[in-house]
C-alpha cells in the first residue's frame, strides 16, 4: 500500500473515530434522568389538532411505586412546549393513563372507576391550566394530581459565597477551606461541666425497660449529670440543667422521640481501648465536646427522604480524577441536571399534618466523591448515590454507607454491594454518604468501627488539607432495643470521626454513617408539636432557629423543609398513618 493511501486511510479512520466520538458525546449530553430508570413505562398518544399532528407522552417513572409521572405535550412547530412533572398524592389509590377515546387529558382511575381529567385543549394541545407560582404543589383534577412547580430554594449567604467561590474563582475551594479551618473551626463547640449526682430513674425512658439503649458510661461517671446547653428540644420530666449522661429522655413533642446527651470522654474506657488500629485517641477538645442525640421509634414513625432544589446535584464532583471528567459525559451518570423532573426542596403538603421532625441530609455533590484511595479508582470515583420515590437520581455505588427506606416503611443502613441492586424494586428512598463509621460484624454480633474512621483521605471525611478533621458534624445510626428499631440522629458540636465512632459504640449502634458538617444549616434538626392552636418548632440546637423563615405579613414562623422550600436535601419523620 502506498504511503499516500495509508495516509488517506488514516485520515479517514481519524474522521470516523472523531464522528463516533461526537455522536457518543451528543448521546451522553442528550440523556435525561428518565433514561436512568429501568422500569419507566411510557405511553405515546398521537394527537391530531386542527393545525397539524402533535403527540402526548406519559411516563410513569416507576410503576412499582406509582408516584412520579412526566407528561410531555408536543405541539406542531413548538419544540419548547410542554413538559410537566406530576406527583400522585395517593399512589395506592390513583393511577393515571392516556386513552385514545379521550384526547384532551388523562384518565385517573380510583377504585375501578375512571375519571376524565381535562388538561389540554384537543384543538391545539395548549394546556388548560396556569399554575399559581406561589404554590409549590399545584392541584389538578380535584386534587387527584399534583403538579410540581419550579421554585427557588432558600440559601444562606454563607452557602452562596462558598458556592460562588468554588464555581467562579480559581482556587476558590482552597479559600473556602481556609475559612472553615480558621474562622469556623470549633465555632459551634458546646461543652459543660460534668457533675456527680444521683440519677433520677423515673425521668429516663431506659429505666422502665423501654426506649433506646442507654450509652455505656465509664464506671466513674455513672449517674453523673451535665447541662444540656443550647438544647432546644423540650424533655418530659427532666431538668435540662442536670441531664443524666448517656440516658434517654422522652421529648415533649412525642412519646416516640427521645433525647440523650453525652461527651466522648465519658464513654466506657473498655470501649475506648478497642480497635485502635481504626480509631485514634481522642484529642482533648473533642473529648469534652457535647453530643446531642435524637432517637425515633421506627415502629410508630415513618422516615422519608427528599432532594433540595439544588443539592445534591448530578454533575461531576471536583474531587473526581481528571481522567473521568475529561470524558464526554457531563456527569458520572451521563447527566448534569434532573430535567424534566422538578425538585422543590419541600415536603408535600398532604404529608405535613403527620410530620413530627426533619433533619438535613448529606454532602453536596461537590464533596460527594473520592479523591484518594481505592474508591477514587473505581466506579468513576464512587460518587455518592441517592434515590427518591423509587426514582434513581445517582447510581448507588458499592462500598458506600447507605441509608435505605423500603416500600413497606422499614429502614436499614448498610454498606452497599453490587448484588444489592436486586433490591431496588423494593427501595423507595436511598442516600449514600461516604464510608461507615460503624459497621455490623456478623462474627461478633455487634457494630464495630469502620476501616477508614481514622483515614482522612480514603474516608473522605472532609476537613482541612492538613487532615484537621475536628468540626461540627452530624451523623445517623441504627439501634435495636427491647424489640424495637430506632433511628438515631446525632449532633456532634466539635468532633472527628474518631469521637463519632466511640459515641456510637457506646450506644450499641448496629451501623452508623456520616451526614453533613461545618455549619448549623448543614446539621439542622427540628421537632414539631402543637399546643392548642399553636404550632411549635423546637431545634436540637437553639441556634438553628435562624434557618426557619418568618412571614412578613403575620410574623408566623415557617419551618424549614416543611413550610418553605430549601436548596438542601433532607429527611422527614412522620407519624404512621
Amino acid at each position: 500500500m502506498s504511503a499516500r493511501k495509508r495516509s488517506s486511510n488514516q485520515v479517514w479512520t481519524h474522521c470516523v473515530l472523531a464522528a463516533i466520538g461526537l455522536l457518543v458525546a451528543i448521546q451522553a449530553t442528550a440523556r435525561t434522568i428518565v433514561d436512568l430508570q429501568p422500569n419507566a413505562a411510557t405511553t405515546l398518544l398521537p394527537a391530531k389538532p386542527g393545525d397539524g399532528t402533535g403527540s402526548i407522552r406519559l411516563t410513569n417513572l416507576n410503576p412499582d411505586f406509582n408516584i412520579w409521572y412526566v407528561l410531555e405535550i408536543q405541539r406542531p412547530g413548538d419544540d419548547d412546549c410542554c413538559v410537566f412533572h406530576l406527583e400522585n398524592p395517593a399512589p395506592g389509590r390513583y393511577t393515571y393513563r392516556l386513552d385514545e377515546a379521550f384526547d384532551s387529558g388523562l384518565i385517573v382511575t380510583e377504585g375501578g372507576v375512571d375519571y376524565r381529567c381535562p388538561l389540554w385543549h384537543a384543538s391545539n394541545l395548549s394546556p388548560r391550566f396556569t399554575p399559581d407560582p406561589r404554590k409549590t404543589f399545584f392541584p389538578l383534577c380535584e386534587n387527584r394530581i399534583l403538579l410540581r412547580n419550579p421554585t427557588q430554594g432558600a440559601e444562606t449567604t454563607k452557602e452562596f459565597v462558598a458556592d460562588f467561590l468554588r464555581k467562579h474563582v480559581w482556587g476558590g475551594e482552597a479559600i473556602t477551606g481556609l475559612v472553615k479551618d480558621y474562622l469556623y473551626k470549633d465555632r459551634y463547640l458546646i461543652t459543660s461541666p460534668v457533675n456527680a449526682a444521683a440519677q433520677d430513674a423515673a425521668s429516663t425512658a431506659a429505666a422502665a425497660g423501654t426506649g433506646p439503649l442507654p450509652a455505656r458510661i465509664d464506671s466513674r461517671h455513672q449517674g453523673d449529670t451535665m447541662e444540656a446547653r443550647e438544647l432546644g428540644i423540650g424533655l418530659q420530666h427532666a431538668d435540662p440543667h442536670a441531664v443524666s449522661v448517656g440516658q434517654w429522655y422522652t421529648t415533649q413533642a412525642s412519646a416516640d422521640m427521645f433525647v440523650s446527651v453525652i461527651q466522648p470522654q465519658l464513654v466506657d474506657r473498655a470501649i475506648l481501648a478497642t480497635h485502635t488500629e481504626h480509631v485514634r485517641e481522642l484529642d482533648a477538645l473533642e473529648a469534652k465536646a457535647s453530643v446531642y442525640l435524637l432517637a425515633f421509634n421506627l415502629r410508630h414513625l415513618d422516615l422519608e427522604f427528599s432532594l433540595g432544589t439544588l443539592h445534591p446535584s448530578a454533575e461531576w464532583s471536583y474531587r473526581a480524577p481528571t481522567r473521568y471528567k475529561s470524558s464526554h459525559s457531563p456527569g458520572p451518570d451521563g447527566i448534569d441536571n434532573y430535567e424534566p423532573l422538578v425538585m422543590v426542596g419541600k415536603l408535600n403538603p398532604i404529608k405535613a399534618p403527620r410530620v413530627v421532625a426533619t433533619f438535613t441530609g448529606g454532602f453536596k455533590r461537590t464533596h460527594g466523591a473520592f479523591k484518594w484511595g481505592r474508591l477514587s479508582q473505581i466506579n468513576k470515583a464512587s460518587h455518592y448515590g441517592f434515590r427518591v420515590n423509587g426514582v434513581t437520581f445517582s447510581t448507588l455505588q458499592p462500598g458506600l454507607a447507605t441509608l435505605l427506606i423500603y416500600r413497606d416503611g422499614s429502614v436499614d443502613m448498610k454498606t452497599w454491594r453490587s448484588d444489592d441492586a436486586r433490591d431496588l424494586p423494593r427501595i423507595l428512598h436511598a442516600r449514600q454518604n461516604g464510608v461507615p463509621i460503624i459497621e455490623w460484624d456478623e462474627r461478633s454480633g455487634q457494630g464495630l468501627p469502620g476501616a477508614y474512621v481514622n483515614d482522612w483521605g480514603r474516608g473522605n471525611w472532609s476537613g482541612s488539607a492538613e487532615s484537621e478533621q475536628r468540626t461540627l458534624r452530624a451523623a445517623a445510626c441504627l439501634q435495636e432495643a427491647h424489640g424495637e428499631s430506632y433511628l438515631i440522629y446525632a449532633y456532634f458540636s466539635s468532633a472527628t470521626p474518631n469521637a463519632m465512632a466511640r459515641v456510637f459504640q457506646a450506644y450499641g449502634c448496629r451501623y452508623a454513617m456520616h451526614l453533613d458538617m461545618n455549619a448549623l444549616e448543614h446539621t439542622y434538626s427540628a421537632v414539631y408539636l402543637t399546643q392548642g392552636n399553636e404550632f411549635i418548632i423546637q431545634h436540637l440546637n437553639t441556634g438553628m432557629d435562624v434557618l426557619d423563615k418568618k412571614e412578613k405579613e403575620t410574623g408566623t414562623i415557617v419551618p424549614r423543609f416543611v413550610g418553605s422550600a430549601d436548596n438542601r436535601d433532607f429527611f422527614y419523620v412522620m407519624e404512621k398513618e
Side-chain angles (χ1 to χ4, degrees):
M1 183 182 294
S2 66
R4 177 178 295 180
K5 191 169 185 179
R6 283 199 303 269
S7 176
S8 176
N9 286 344
Q10 288 171 351
V11 171
W12 173 250
T13 301
H14 177 75
C15 290
V16 170
L17 291 176
I20 292 173
L22 179 60
L23 179 61
V24 170
I26 292 173
Q27 289 175 333
T29 303
R31 290 187 68 189
T32 72
I33 190 171
V34 177
D35 299 308
L36 299 180
Q37 315 311 316
N39 294 336
T42 299
T43 304
L44 182 66
L45 179 66
K48 294 181 173 59
D51 58 349
T53 299
S55 64
I56 309 294
R57 183 189 303 268
L58 181 68
T59 300
N60 184 338
L61 292 174
N62 192 335
D64 290 339
F65 296 91
N66 191 39
I67 300 174
W68 279 350
Y69 290 74
V70 174
L71 174 65
E72 301 171 78
I73 302 177
Q74 182 62 57
R75 298 193 302 196
D78 187 355
D79 294 334
D80 295 329
C81 184
C82 301
V83 182
F84 304 100
H85 181 183
L86 308 180
E87 181 163 328
N88 189 340
R93 182 188 308 171
Y94 304 134
T95 57
Y96 311 149
R97 75 176 192 274
L98 293 171
D99 193 316
E100 291 185 357
F102 180 50
D103 60 0
S104 59
L106 298 180
I107 301 294
V108 179
T109 301
E110 177 184 3
V113 179
D114 288 346
Y115 298 88
R116 292 190 170 194
C117 183
L119 294 179
W120 58 85
H121 297 280
S123 60
N124 61 5
L125 300 186
S126 62
R128 288 177 176 266
F129 55 89
T130 302
D132 184 343
R134 295 170 299 177
K135 293 185 177 181
T136 309
F137 293 85
F138 185 72
L140 300 168
C141 197
E142 298 177 335
N143 294 310
R144 292 185 177 93
I145 300 174
L146 296 178
L147 170 66
R148 291 171 67 91
N149 227 357
T151 188
Q152 182 74 34
E155 183 175 43
T156 64
T157 302
K158 185 167 63 178
E159 281 186 305
F160 173 80
V161 171
D163 283 345
F164 180 85
L165 288 172
R166 290 187 180 109
K167 293 178 181 178
H168 303 292
V169 178
W170 184 87
E173 182 63 32
I175 296 174
T176 60
L178 189 69
V179 171
K180 287 187 292 185
D181 295 343
Y182 294 101
L183 296 184
Y184 289 102
K185 183 178 180 180
D186 300 325
R187 173 182 176 181
Y188 302 102
L189 171 67
I190 305 171
T191 189
S192 172
V194 178
N195 304 307
Q199 178 178 329
D200 180 7
S203 68
T204 63
T210 62
L213 295 174
R216 286 174 51 190
I217 298 297
D218 186 337
S219 59
R220 297 171 300 174
H221 296 285
Q222 291 290 342
D224 285 2
T225 64
M226 57 182 280
E227 181 181 356
R229 294 175 178 173
E230 301 181 36
L231 176 67
I233 296 178
L235 308 179
Q236 294 278 13
H237 313 299
D239 179 2
H241 298 286
V243 181
S244 296
V245 296
Q247 297 295 324
W248 290 98
Y249 294 84
T250 306
T251 66
Q252 295 173 352
S254 170
D256 293 306
M257 296 192 293
F258 309 85
V259 165
S260 185
V261 302
I262 197 173
Q263 292 176 3
Q265 65 182 353
L266 306 178
V267 170
D268 188 342
R269 284 182 292 174
I271 290 176
L272 298 178
T274 64
H275 307 288
T276 54
E277 72 279 15
H278 298 314
V279 187
R280 294 178 185 170
E281 184 176 350
L282 306 182
D283 70 47
L285 194 146
E286 69 176 333
K288 63 180 181 181
S290 295
V291 181
Y292 297 159
L293 303 96
L294 176 62
F296 307 98
N297 185 333
L298 295 176
R299 178 189 292 271
H300 301 133
L301 300 174
D302 281 330
L303 179 71
E304 295 201 15
F305 174 64
S306 174
L307 296 189
T309 56
L310 296 177
H311 304 293
S313 48
E315 76 281 7
W316 293 103
S317 165
Y318 82 94
R319 293 186 176 184
T322 304
R323 68 177 181 277
Y324 296 133
K325 293 183 287 186
S326 62
S327 70
H328 296 293
S329 175
D333 289 287
I335 59 175
D336 60 1
N337 64 72
Y338 300 133
E339 296 177 359
L341 302 190
V342 176
M343 296 300 101
V344 298
K346 181 182 176 182
L347 185 69
N348 183 326
I350 293 175
K351 296 179 179 180
R354 295 168 49 209
V355 71
V356 295
T358 58
F359 56 90
T360 312
F363 284 7
K364 297 178 181 179
R365 172 50 62 91
T366 305
H367 300 110
F370 289 80
K371 190 174 183 178
W372 293 281
R374 186 183 68 87
L375 290 169
S376 72
Q377 305 300 317
I378 61 174
N379 300 317
K380 302 176 185 177
S382 303
H383 287 70
Y384 302 174
F386 26 93
R387 180 177 172 91
V388 180
N389 287 333
V391 173
T392 295
F393 284 77
S394 186
T395 304
L396 301 179
Q397 299 295 346
L400 303 190
T402 310
L403 196 160
L404 299 162
I405 304 167
Y406 292 90
R407 187 209 313 265
D408 63 3
S410 59
V411 177
D412 194 13
M413 295 173 72
K414 65 188 302 185
T415 302
W416 189 257
R417 301 180 305 182
S418 297
D419 59 1
D420 287 326
R422 65 177 181 268
D423 291 329
L424 283 174
R426 300 191 300 118
I427 297 173
L428 179 64
H429 305 290
R431 181 50 153 115
Q432 294 187 314
N433 209 70
V435 293
I437 300 172
I438 296 291
E439 194 165 19
W440 181 253
D441 180 66
E442 292 288 351
R443 290 177 297 177
S444 64
Q446 58 184 321
L448 303 179
Y452 297 139
V453 166
N454 64 359
D455 194 319
W456 171 69
R458 291 189 293 173
N460 200 32
W461 300 113
S462 195
S464 75
E466 289 74 34
S467 305
E468 293 292 337
Q469 302 171 53
R470 195 181 67 241
T471 185
L472 171 63
R473 294 180 183 270
C477 90
L478 273 182
Q479 187 206 83
E480 305 292 332
H482 312 300
E484 307 280 14
S485 181
Y486 294 90
L487 177 76
I488 298 175
Y489 178 83
Y491 174 92
F492 295 80
S493 63
S494 189
T496 69
N498 302 288
M500 300 167 84
R502 294 312 191 193
V503 167
F504 286 135
Q505 278 185 276
Y507 281 94
C509 293
R510 293 176 54 89
Y511 197 100
M513 61 183 279
H514 196 270
L515 290 175
D516 213 343
M517 56 189 285
N518 289 332
L520 293 178
E521 57 262 41
H522 305 156
T523 55
Y524 177 95
S525 177
V527 302
Y528 313 107
L529 64 156
T530 302
Q531 292 182 351
N533 295 324
E534 186 179 7
F535 180 78
I536 300 173
I537 310 169
Q538 296 182 341
H539 301 90
L540 200 52
N541 181 304
T542 53
M544 295 174 180
D545 61 1
V546 300
L547 280 306
D548 298 318
K549 288 188 173 181
K550 179 182 289 188
E551 291 185 346
K552 293 181 180 179
E553 295 80 6
T554 64
T556 303
I557 302 298
V558 180
R560 185 187 189 192
F561 303 133
V562 178
S564 62
D566 200 88
N567 72 339
R568 301 303 299 269
D569 61 312
F570 64 98
F571 291 89
Y572 52 102
V573 184
M574 302 179 295
E575 294 177 337
K576 286 188 180 294
E577 289 185 294

